[in-house]
Amino acid sequence: MAPINATFRRSFDEQVDFFRQKLNLPTERWDDLARDQHDRAFVVAGATKADLVADLRGAVDDAITNGQSLGEFRQQFREIVAKRGWTGWTGEDTKAGRAWRTRVIYKTNMDTSYMAGRWAQMTDPDVMRARPFWRYVHNTVENPRVQHRRWDNLVLPAGDPWFERHYPPNGWGCNCGVETMSRRQLERSGRDGPDAAPGSEMVEHVNDATGEVTEVPKGVQPGWDYAPGKSAAETAVQARLNRLDSIDANVARENVAQLVDSDLFARFFNGGVEGEFPVAVVPPMERELLGAEAATVLLSQVSLAAHIERHPEIRLADYRRVQELLDRGAVYRRDGEDGRLIYLTVDDVTYRAALKRTQDGKKHYFLSLFRSKTDQPPPDATRLR
């Protein structure tokens, strides 16, 4: 794999999408945000005025989308600083300081957006099936970091938890990367299977401004112990969730249908996205029966993982039929279970599923989905539709 900086002029959709979903955030220090909070916000330390941050963000966007060089970015930076009257920023006083500061802004955003885009590509379900292993690649030639060099050529299962705190870049100026491998490539490398994940020796870090003490893996600089892009997918789902229950039910249905049909849901199904995912909108009759405030039906990653373990025959295509099941299936309720409905449908396949309202009456959760050997309803259940 080529060093990250060798790819700067070849931006790709996932890289651009990651950067453009960020919100502008004025801030005093880079570490005012912690770890994957940087997935959600564009910041330049010391830039505290909204118009200044917006202009700097535009310059970085140009660099990412149009492949602008560091020199071109520096020219835009000088023009923005002069236009907005920004003074007192770190590095302003010397030529070397200005060169260092502009390089940090440029390279940090290039590195993290590139690797976030790669995360989205590499966790695509089709890619993970065809190339189920990830190899750490050490690319820092100048002043190599000993720990990063030790990780070079380490091969682990795709998305292994080790990468959640060791996914590049692992510090300022780190050029390391990750490439995918097929089973055949793994065997050609002389391996029968992936390597064992290295143990993570933790070291303490004290924030010199706040005094806060945190621990980071040895070899990873403070604030860099996260995987750029991993939380961005979860953030995108949450942003959509925040809107779904405040819009018309028909519009909500269209939004949920788009999400369920998307690659994002496929990544959720394969365990690549944490949290909760909207899978349907409760039909009017059941919403009235259950009495929950929200119309959206949520599926949690915890429940999904348990479902798949118990019923491996259920695949992604089955979960993409949840709305159809709620709309067309026969609906039953057991005596004494006011907050829970059971669905049963016979089409080309017979499913059993359950929908539950939370105790506080605010949300609906999809609890289970499996193929039933019988089309008979559960015992002591009354049909509602």
Side-chain angles (χ1 to χ4, degrees):
M1 176 178 173
I4 294 173
N5 57 8
T7 66
F8 279 175
R9 291 185 176 272
R10 300 196 299 274
S11 66
F12 50 101
D13 290 345
E14 292 86 352
Q15 178 183 10
V16 174
D17 289 346
F18 167 79
F19 183 75
R20 289 187 172 171
Q21 57 82 36
K22 292 190 175 195
L23 300 174
N24 293 348
L25 185 64
T27 186
E28 291 285 354
R29 294 168 53 95
W30 182 82
D31 57 4
D32 283 347
L33 299 183
R35 306 175 67 246
D36 58 3
Q37 290 177 350
H38 287 275
D39 273 3
R40 304 174 180 89
F42 172 77
V43 300
V44 174
T48 57
K49 294 183 178 179
D51 52 3
L52 171 63
V53 177
D55 286 352
L56 292 171
R57 195 250 184 72
V60 173
D61 190 284
D62 279 348
I64 292 172
T65 338
N66 303 318
Q68 289 187 338
S69 67
L70 175 57
E72 292 169 314
F73 173 75
R74 281 176 171 152
Q75 177 59 37
Q76 282 202 58
F77 181 87
R78 287 193 293 267
E79 293 170 358
I80 291 167
V81 167
K83 173 185 174 183
R84 297 299 180 188
W86 189 28
T87 60
W89 46 273
T90 304
E92 178 186 14
D93 296 334
T94 66
K95 182 178 180 180
R98 292 189 292 273
W100 163 81
R101 185 64 190 280
T102 48
R103 178 177 172 79
V104 165
I105 298 170
Y106 176 86
K107 185 167 166 47
T108 298
N109 283 283
M110 288 292 192
D111 285 2
T112 53
S113 63
Y114 175 81
M115 291 306 295
R118 289 287 293 142
W119 181 279
Q121 290 179 332
M122 296 190 303
T123 55
D124 178 273
D126 292 335
V127 175
M128 291 184 78
R129 279 191 291 272
R131 306 179 68 80
F133 307 102
W134 289 1
R135 184 172 80 93
Y136 190 100
V137 182
H138 172 255
N139 279 315
T140 305
V141 178
E142 188 178 337
N143 300 318
R145 304 175 205 208
V146 175
Q147 199 69 32
H148 297 194
R149 191 160 52 186
R150 287 175 181 162
W151 297 329
D152 186 44
N153 204 35
L154 172 70
V155 177
L156 298 175
D160 188 273
W162 185 83
F163 282 108
E164 293 181 10
R165 301 197 76 175
H166 299 82
Y167 184 77
N170 283 311
W172 302 101
C174 169
N175 288 324
C176 296
V178 176
E179 64 178 22
T180 62
M181 294 179 72
S182 66
R183 168 65 67 176
R184 191 171 182 181
Q185 287 174 316
L186 180 82
E187 292 169 351
R188 282 179 177 174
S189 73
R191 295 173 171 89
D192 295 326
D195 301 321
S200 294
E201 181 183 346
M202 306 299 289
V203 295
E204 272 193 1
H205 167 69
V206 181
N207 185 307
D208 58 6
T210 65
E212 180 184 6
V213 179
T214 56
E215 287 190 334
V216 294
K218 185 177 180 180
V220 179
Q221 283 186 277
W224 292 88
D225 56 327
Y226 74 103
K230 181 178 184 295
S231 72
E234 297 155 27
T235 303
V237 175
Q238 188 58 50
R240 190 78 71 96
L241 272 176
N242 290 340
R243 299 196 304 269
L244 285 176
D245 290 318
S246 63
I247 59 179
D248 178 80
N250 290 327
V251 178
R253 272 175 171 261
E254 292 176 11
N255 274 263
V256 172
Q258 291 170 9
L259 280 170
V260 170
D261 194 45
S262 71
D263 290 339
L264 189 58
F265 184 60
R267 295 210 298 275
F268 178 81
F269 180 83
N270 282 281
V273 178
E274 299 296 329
E276 301 170 348
F277 206 103
V279 290
V281 171
V282 185
M285 183 193 81
E286 289 92 306
R287 187 177 181 186
E288 185 175 345
L289 284 168
L290 291 170
E293 295 177 15
T296 311
V297 179
L298 303 176
L299 174 63
S300 76
Q301 182 58 245
V302 173
S303 293
L304 175 61
H307 297 176
I308 293 172
E309 184 177 356
R310 288 196 300 268
H311 303 286
E313 76 282 2
I314 296 293
R315 307 306 305 153
L316 174 63
D318 298 301
Y319 275 94
R320 282 181 163 154
R321 297 186 68 182
V322 170
Q323 185 69 67
E324 179 188 0
L325 177 59
L326 266 59
D327 288 340
R328 299 178 53 206
V331 186
Y332 295 86
R333 181 167 61 189
R334 278 196 174 109
D335 295 340
E337 291 189 344
D338 292 341
R340 180 185 179 112
L341 298 177
I342 297 168
Y343 287 79
L344 186 71
T345 187
V346 179
D347 196 348
D348 53 330
V349 65
T350 302
Y351 291 109
R352 254 296 271 281
L355 176 67
K356 185 177 182 179
R357 181 201 68 212
T358 55
Q359 280 192 332
D360 62 9
K362 293 185 179 297
K363 296 180 180 180
H364 298 99
Y365 280 93
F366 195 72
L367 296 181
S368 62
L369 179 66
F370 61 94
R371 299 188 182 199
S372 177
K373 295 179 181 178
T374 174
D375 61 0
Q376 295 302 305
D380 57 350
T382 303
R383 181 165 182 171
L384 304 177
R385 185 187 68 201

